[in-house]
């Protein structure tokens, strides 16, 4: 625990992105905004760090991208979940649930 | 069209597309900061801070875009061609043995697609996240919380080996 910050588990950002995209296709800025709103500033996410995660997820086939027009009439790249992505979201959500329950259980036994 | 093809082969297309995407994000962040009554210079600085290292993110995205994807796409097109060829042979052939070859081609194409799909699901198929993928708790829940105690034990070890 250095500089008042705590690294979270790897894959957490991917889970947040998958969950965010499970509702609607969005561009990177939209995804960042939605995540910032959802986590109420508890999690600190540099917006730029979303993009390597998005590109890796697209590489794995969890999401697909398509160029479109944004709400301010600019060309923007929109991402949407694939079927493999939905499956991944289910799996990762279940995993997260198991881990958090296990940690809570250990903490409650103290 | 030929120039576009050359640019794609050189990877310039990928780089300019990544830059366009990241620039869009940065511009919207700048607008957001300006709406909070910041000057343009302050807004740009705030946007940069919120975004993180632009060049590092761009280079990482370009590198990810360039690896595997053209090869994967080519493979998928190749498997699709095998599938279509198999169907055509299977439907239009009158010879039993040739029909079986068609069936074999269809089977091979489906199996290959399945293997590609499984590769995409496999977490080990892609390189681990780089340093730019950072996600942190903004503040510790307890500022006086000690991860390691004087015996270098973690909180879990302290609970398990409680004396």
């Amino acid at each position: 625990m250095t500089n008042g910050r705590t690294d979270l588990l790897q894959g957490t950002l991917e889970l947040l992105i998958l969950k965010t995209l499970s509702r609607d296709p969005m561009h990177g800025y939209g995804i960042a905004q939605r995540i910032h709103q959802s986590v109420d500033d508890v999690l600190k996410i540099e917006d730029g760090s979303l993009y390597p995660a998005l590109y890796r997820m697209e590489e794995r086939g969890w999401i697909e991208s398509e160029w479109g027009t944004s709400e301010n009439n600019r060309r923007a790249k929109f991402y949407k979940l694939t079927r493999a992505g939905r499956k991944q979201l289910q799996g990762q959500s279940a995993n997260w649930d198991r881990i958090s329950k296990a940690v809570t259980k250990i903490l409650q036994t103290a | 069209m030929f120039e576009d093809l050359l640019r794609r082969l050189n990877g310039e297309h990928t780089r300019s597309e990544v830059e366009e995407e990241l620039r869009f994000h940065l511009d919207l962040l700048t607008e957001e900061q300006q709406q909070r009554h910041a000057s343009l210079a302050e807004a740009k600085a705030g946007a940069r801070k919120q975004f993180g290292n632009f060049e590092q993110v761009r280079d990482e995205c370009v590198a990810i875009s360039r690896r595997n994807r053209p090869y994967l796409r080519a493979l998928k097109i190749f498997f699709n061609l095998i599938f279509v060829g198999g169907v055509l042979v299977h439907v239009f052939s009158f010879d039993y043995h040739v029909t079986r070859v068609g069936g074999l081609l269809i089977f091979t194409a489906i199996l290959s697609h399945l293997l590609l799909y499984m590769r995409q699901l496999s977490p080990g198929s892609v390189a681990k996240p780089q340093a730019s993928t950072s996600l942190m708790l903004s503040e510790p829940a307890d500022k006086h919380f000690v991860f390691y105690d004087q015996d270098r034990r973690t909180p879990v070890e302290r609970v398990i080996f409680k004396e």
Side-chain angles (χ1 to χ4, degrees), chain B residues 68-143:
Chain B
N68 290 335
R69 288 175 69 190
Y71 138 81
L72 270 179
R73 271 187 209 159
L75 260 184
K76 281 179 184 171
I77 291 169
F78 179 65
F79 295 147
N80 285 340
L81 286 175
I82 289 181
F83 182 79
V84 172
V87 170
L88 290 175
V89 169
H90 196 78
V91 171
F92 294 109
S93 151
F94 297 107
D95 185 87
Y96 172 72
H97 294 291
V98 180
T99 307
R100 284 193 70 182
V101 170
L104 195 67
L105 286 176
I106 293 170
F107 175 74
T108 308
I110 291 173
L111 187 69
S112 308
H113 267 295
L114 199 68
L115 287 173
L116 265 186
Y117 181 71
M118 282 165 66
R119 180 192 174 279
Q120 286 172 348
L121 286 182
S122 155
S125 62
V126 181
K128 285 183 177 170
Q130 303 293 307
S132 65
T133 307
S134 57
L135 178 64
M136 295 164 176
L137 282 172
S138 48
E139 287 292 331
D142 179 359
K143 287 180 181 169

Side-chain angles (χ1 to χ4, degrees), chain A residues 3 15 19-20 30 41 43 59 65 69 78 85 87 90 103 110:
Chain A
N3 301 328
L15 178 57
K19 182 66 187 165
T20 307
D41 292 332
L43 297 177
E59 188 184 30
S65 64
T69 310
F78 286 82
K87 220 169 183 176
Q90 285 173 0
V103 173

Side-chain angles (χ1 to χ4, degrees), chain A residues 12-13 19 24 33 36 61 74 79-80 82 85 87 90 93 103 106 109:
Chain A
T12 311
L13 183 58
K19 182 66 187 165
D24 309 297
Q33 291 301 103
H36 287 313
R74 273 183 66 173
Y79 294 91
K80 68 175 180 185
T82 61
K87 220 169 183 176
Q90 285 173 0
S93 301
V103 173
I106 290 174
T109 54

Side-chain angles (χ1 to χ4, degrees), chain A residues 71-87:
Chain A
E71 49 281 8
N72 60 355
N73 278 330
R74 273 183 66 173
R75 211 167 90 93
K77 201 172 177 185
F78 286 82
Y79 294 91
K80 68 175 180 185
L81 223 55
T82 61
R83 194 184 291 181
R86 287 198 187 279
K87 220 169 183 176

